[in-house]
Amino acid sequence: MKEPVHRISILNATLVGLLLAACGSRQVETISGPPGCPLPPTAPPPTSARLLDDLEDGDMNLIAGDGLDGSWEFWDDKTNSNLLMANSTMCAAFGKFAVHARSDGQTGWGASVNLFFRAPPPRPRPYDGSRFNAVSFYAAIIPPAVGVGSDADANPTVRIKAAISTMETAWEGNCKSCTDNFAKYIEISNRWQRFVLPFSELRQEGWGDPKNLAFKTNDIVQLAIQLGQKFDLWIDQVAFEQL
Ligand SMILES: [Ca+2]
Ligand SMILES: [Ca+2]
């Protein structure tokens, strides 16, 4: 039994040698991230007007200065003790750290990842973002079908609501029916992608009171990324933009 195994080994070694010779000195492109992580972004991050947080300080605060002193807040419906929301070193788009939010099933309204521009009190507290006209961030999901030994070609996406609140829509703001924030829906896949929320494209859904509001750039409160009941989402590199 030993001889055939030995011969196969030699054949494999020869094949590997031929392949290496064929490759020459060409650089091999990385096509996958760590197992269980999103696929890497296809390009480095563009220069932004003002980086809000890349998570690289390992904390839950944004990069302070320019009147900004807020922090990340994770909100959920308290229906699942397996909910995870953290600054994690497992799967960053850039650097080592990124926000990770995962739940195997909420039963209420779900959960949201929020980045507040100002620290309370009071809550909410406005920030004058009129120097900017958009917010950008990187996001990716881990779909159930993607992982070790699974079919990465399935490439499902998840549609989620990304929003900016103002003093007229934020929770406990100047509203009778709050959190109908200025939103846009985005399609997130298992590859890290950059998403841009131009302020001019954000709209209320129309169920809030007040509604049909104009977006007041000088009165913004938070970036709110609305998750559903079941999710495995990563967020990194959040910034203000001047497009
Ligand atoms: Ca930080
Ligand atoms: Ca990062």
Side-chain angles (χ1 to χ4, degrees):
M1 288 297 292
K2 281 186 179 174
E3 194 181 353
V5 172
H6 182 61
R7 283 167 69 177
I8 289 168
S9 297
I10 290 170
L11 194 64
N12 279 346
T14 307
L15 192 61
V16 168
L18 285 171
L19 284 172
L20 284 174
C23 286
S25 61
R26 193 182 58 155
Q27 286 201 329
V28 178
E29 188 184 348
T30 302
I31 55 169
S32 64
C37 287
L39 298 171
T42 53
T47 303
S48 292
R50 210 296 184 173
L51 184 64
L52 285 167
D53 204 8
D54 56 8
L55 288 307
E56 295 305 310
D57 46 19
D59 65 16
M60 296 309 300
N61 302 317
L62 54 63
I63 298 168
D66 305 317
L68 296 156
D69 58 358
S71 62
W72 291 90
E73 286 190 22
F74 302 139
W75 293 357
D76 72 274
D77 59 17
K78 310 289 182 204
T79 60
N80 185 349
S81 58
N82 286 329
L83 178 85
L84 166 86
M85 287 190 173
N87 184 352
S88 168
T89 56
M90 297 296 291
C91 297
F94 306 104
K96 287 187 175 150
F97 293 86
V99 168
H100 187 202
R102 185 182 67 210
S103 172
D104 57 4
Q106 306 294 119
T107 57
W109 60 266
S112 63
V113 170
N114 304 277
L115 182 58
F116 283 86
F117 305 124
R118 299 299 316 273
R123 165 65 57 83
R125 192 172 176 196
Y127 178 69
D128 182 353
S130 52
R131 285 195 293 136
F132 311 107
N133 58 14
V135 164
S136 70
F137 58 91
Y138 280 74
I141 53 160
I142 309 291
V146 175
V148 178
S150 63
D151 180 9
D153 291 337
N155 194 28
T157 60
V158 170
R159 190 168 177 266
I160 66 159
K161 180 180 169 182
I164 308 283
S165 69
T166 68
M167 292 299 285
E168 292 171 305
T169 67
W171 179 249
E172 298 190 326
N174 305 326
C175 32
K176 284 184 184 147
S177 180
C178 298
T179 71
D180 185 6
N181 297 321
F182 296 84
K184 179 181 171 179
Y185 279 82
I186 57 174
E187 291 275 335
I188 302 183
S189 76
N190 68 322
R191 181 178 291 283
W192 277 109
Q193 287 181 84
R194 181 171 179 257
F195 296 94
V196 180
L197 308 179
F199 295 156
S200 62
E201 292 180 14
L202 305 180
R203 298 283 181 275
Q204 288 180 283
E205 288 179 327
W207 48 264
D209 183 7
K211 59 186 175 186
N212 301 320
L213 293 165
F215 185 84
K216 291 181 181 168
T217 313
N218 62 348
D219 221 19
I220 59 177
V221 173
Q222 105 218 60
L223 167 67
I225 297 174
Q226 193 71 43
L227 308 174
Q229 293 182 321
K230 194 173 178 184
F231 47 84
D232 195 343
L233 177 99
W234 289 86
I235 299 167
D236 202 357
Q237 202 77 16
V238 186
F240 278 134
E241 305 292 345
Q242 181 57 57
L243 303 177

